[in-house]
Each structure stands twice: as C-alpha cells, then as structure tokens.
Amino acid sequence: MLERLKRLDPLILLIVTAVIIAIVLPARGDFAEWFDVATKFAIALLFYLYGARLSTQEALNGLKHWRLHLTILAITFVIFPLIGIGLQPLTHIISHDLYMGILFLTLVPSTVQSSVAFTSIAKGNVAGAIVAASLSNLAGVFLTPLLVMLLMSSGSGVHVDLQVFLNIAVQLLLPFILGQLTRKWVKDFAANKGTKIVDRGSIAMVVYSAFSAGMVAGIWSTVSIFEVAFLIGFAIILVIAMLWLTMFIAVQLGFNRADSIAIQFCGTKKSLATGLPMAAVIFGGANVGLLILPLMIFHQVQLMICAWLAARYGRQAGEQAAVRTS
C-alpha cells in the first residue's frame, strides 16, 4: 500500500486530502471569507510563476511552427467544445450541474508539465510541445471565459458577464505579464522545485474552498455513487477517443512522428492546474464544487492512460534506434 501511494501523483494526493478536510472541517463564516481572499492571492502568485518560468525567446522561436500550434489550439478550443456541446443528452443520465462540469472541462486549456513530460518520454517534439502547451494556457485566459460565456450562461444557472474578463485580466493575466517582465531577476527562483508548493498549494486551496462551499450548502447529497462511477467511465472513454482522434488528425495533415506525438499529448490533455483557478475566478459563488468534479476525475484518468502510452512510444523509438544502429 505504501509503495502504491508513493507512485500516486502528489497533486492528486493533495487534492484528495483537501476534499477530506473540507468534508470534515468545511470553511464557514469569516474564516471562509478570509480563506477566499488568500486563495485569490495564491492564484495570482501561481500565474506570476508561470510567467517567470516561460522563456520569452523560446516562446517566440517556437511560434514559427505555426501549423503545429494552430492544430493543437483547434483541437483544444474548437473540437473539444463541440464534443462538449454534443454531449448535452447526458442530462438524461446525470444531473444538469455535472453535465455543466463536463462541458466546462472541454473548454479549459491543455496542460503544460505533463504534456511536455509525456512528449519527452515518447521521443516527440519537446520544443514544440513546450510552446504549444504554454500558448494554449495563455490563449485560454481569453478563450475559456469567452466560451463559458457563450456556451454555459444561457439558461444553465451559471451567469457569466463581461466582468469575468476584467477579473481574469487582474487575477491571471496581469501576474503572468509581471512574471515575464521580471523574469530576468526571478527565473532561477521560479524554476526552483520548491515553488511547486505554490503550484500544488494554490490548487488545493481552490479545491478546499469549492468543496467547503458545497458541504455548507449541502449540495454533495445530490451526487450519487452511480454518477461518480459514470464520470470515471466517461473520462476513460473520452481520453481514449481523443488520443485516437488527435493522432488521426495529425497523420491526415501530414505531420511527422515527433510532431504527431506532440499534437496527441498536448491536444488530448485538459489542465487541472489552470482549470481550477479559472473556475474559481469565472464562477465565483456558483456551484463550483460540482462544476470541477468532472475535470478532477478526467485529469487523473488522462495521466494514467497517457503515462502508459508515452512509455510504449518510448520503447518503440528505442527499439527502432537499436535496429538502425545494428
């Protein structure tokens, strides 16, 4: 059991811990208000570090591979949302709030760390993956709230207006820009492994805040064991389907093996690290707990399946290299 726990993603362990604490000791009253303010500062610091870590020159150089980046952006912000819209009949099986959570997960940007890591393990285009995943997160600062406003506001119980863009700009984009401007002085600190405390801590704070609000409001009694099991099965099917679709698109568009792998891993992923802070900013006091549950489950499922696939690609590349040198 201890060995299995060591192999689990530390972020997932932290999230599970935050959920358990929220169930046992949810934030209430004045503490909840102060904790909400602290969470906003933590989110701002998170995006400041994102900006400080990303090399401006690397980003500018990587932008030259525009076909790769446009393909990944189209998968992330066009194909995925269309799939989310097409899944509307799921409301006959699960609650409307959980369907809204599924729709939201289709609107968030790609991951950065895991997309790059899996592309590297699979011997794909690592430089392209770095820029594409970072560009996806930067574009998501504008595109995700825009898509939420267009697809989730009308008659859904979720109310999003233009004020969201100002909130996003102040809490996410402004810290990111400040990180880029001060990168010369803080890049070494930002790249330090110790700053992962901020990455994971801010996400855990968002989860604790959201689940606490759900406990206080009594909304978790509306989620059945069947719905949780359904979300796990749905996430497995969606990840596998998107892995096939992204590779099919890459091959049809004539990309080489390295680029196709980058497209597959960057295009399939949805970012928990970016999605949860965005949900906290976009939805505010709405039923955030149920809205982020599908994204949390999808994130863990995508990590496990993509880790297996990346290792398989890496072994195949190693075998092919051994054959060429023999």
Side-chain angles (χ1 to χ4, degrees):
M1 180 64 72
L2 288 174
E3 287 300 317
R4 289 180 180 178
L5 286 173
K6 288 177 183 177
R7 290 197 295 269
L8 285 176
D9 183 351
L11 177 59
I12 296 300
L13 285 175
L14 198 58
I15 288 173
V16 171
T17 301
V19 170
I20 293 172
I21 295 174
I23 292 172
V24 178
L25 294 171
R28 300 173 183 270
D30 291 339
F31 174 72
E33 293 180 9
W34 282 105
F35 193 83
D36 182 60
V37 173
T39 301
K40 286 183 171 62
F41 277 108
I43 291 171
L45 180 57
L46 173 66
F47 276 79
Y48 172 80
L49 291 173
Y50 281 166
R53 289 170 187 157
L54 179 62
S55 167
T56 306
Q57 191 58 49
E58 269 187 7
L60 293 175
N61 291 338
L63 286 173
K64 295 175 183 177
H65 200 350
W66 60 270
R67 287 184 68 242
L68 175 73
H69 307 317
L70 280 181
T71 301
I72 293 172
L73 286 174
I75 293 169
T76 303
F77 295 113
V78 178
I79 294 177
F80 249 118
L82 287 175
I83 291 173
I85 295 170
L87 293 171
Q88 200 276 334
L90 288 178
T91 52
H92 296 297
I93 303 174
I94 59 176
S95 70
H96 183 266
D97 285 334
L98 283 181
Y99 165 68
M100 285 289 104
I102 290 174
L103 180 57
F104 176 68
L105 90 80
T106 67
L107 308 182
V108 302
S110 176
T111 63
V112 178
Q113 291 93 337
S114 61
S115 292
V116 174
F118 290 144
T119 300
S120 176
I121 293 169
K123 311 301 181 186
N125 184 349
V126 176
I130 291 172
V131 176
S134 300
L135 185 62
S136 174
N137 275 258
L138 189 57
V141 172
F142 301 100
L143 294 179
T144 296
L146 177 62
L147 289 168
V148 168
M149 187 171 66
L150 293 174
L151 302 178
M152 297 182 67
S153 291
S154 179
S156 66
V158 176
H159 302 290
V160 181
D161 54 35
L162 293 176
Q163 180 66 28
V164 164
F165 291 94
L166 178 60
N167 293 341
I168 287 285
V170 172
Q171 293 187 47
L172 308 185
L173 184 58
L174 180 59
F176 181 89
I177 293 173
L178 289 174
Q180 281 281 286
L181 293 175
T182 59
R183 185 176 186 277
K184 177 180 178 181
W185 300 282
V186 300
K187 61 180 180 180
D188 292 336
F189 169 76
N192 189 291
K193 290 184 178 181
T195 58
K196 286 187 177 180
I197 295 175
V198 177
D199 293 37
R200 295 167 180 167
S202 60
I203 294 170
M205 290 172 73
V206 171
V207 172
Y208 173 73
S209 180
F211 273 69
S212 290
M215 289 299 298
V216 172
I219 61 173
W220 297 112
S221 59
T222 64
V223 183
S224 67
I225 295 177
F226 164 76
E227 286 178 319
V228 174
F230 174 85
L231 286 176
I232 295 172
F234 166 79
I236 293 171
I237 293 171
L238 183 58
V239 170
I240 293 173
M242 290 306 298
L243 283 169
W244 175 85
L245 180 61
T246 50
M247 181 56 74
F248 176 79
I249 291 172
V251 171
Q252 293 301 308
L253 293 177
F255 286 99
N256 60 31
R257 179 187 182 278
D259 287 345
S260 296
I261 287 173
I263 290 170
Q264 189 176 41
F265 286 119
C266 294
T268 303
K269 298 281 198 327
K270 288 296 179 179
S271 175
L272 189 72
T274 306
L276 293 190
M278 281 187 171
V281 175
I282 293 172
F283 300 117
N287 192 0
V288 179
L290 290 181
L291 285 169
I292 65 175
L293 183 60
L295 178 59
M296 291 169 60
I297 292 174
F298 183 86
H299 177 268
Q300 180 61 14
V301 169
Q302 75 183 5
L303 286 180
M304 292 188 291
I305 295 177
C306 289
W308 169 83
L309 184 61
R312 182 185 173 202
Y313 283 160
R315 287 194 300 270
Q316 290 174 346
E319 291 168 0
Q320 291 170 1
V323 169
R324 287 195 297 269
T325 57
S326 61

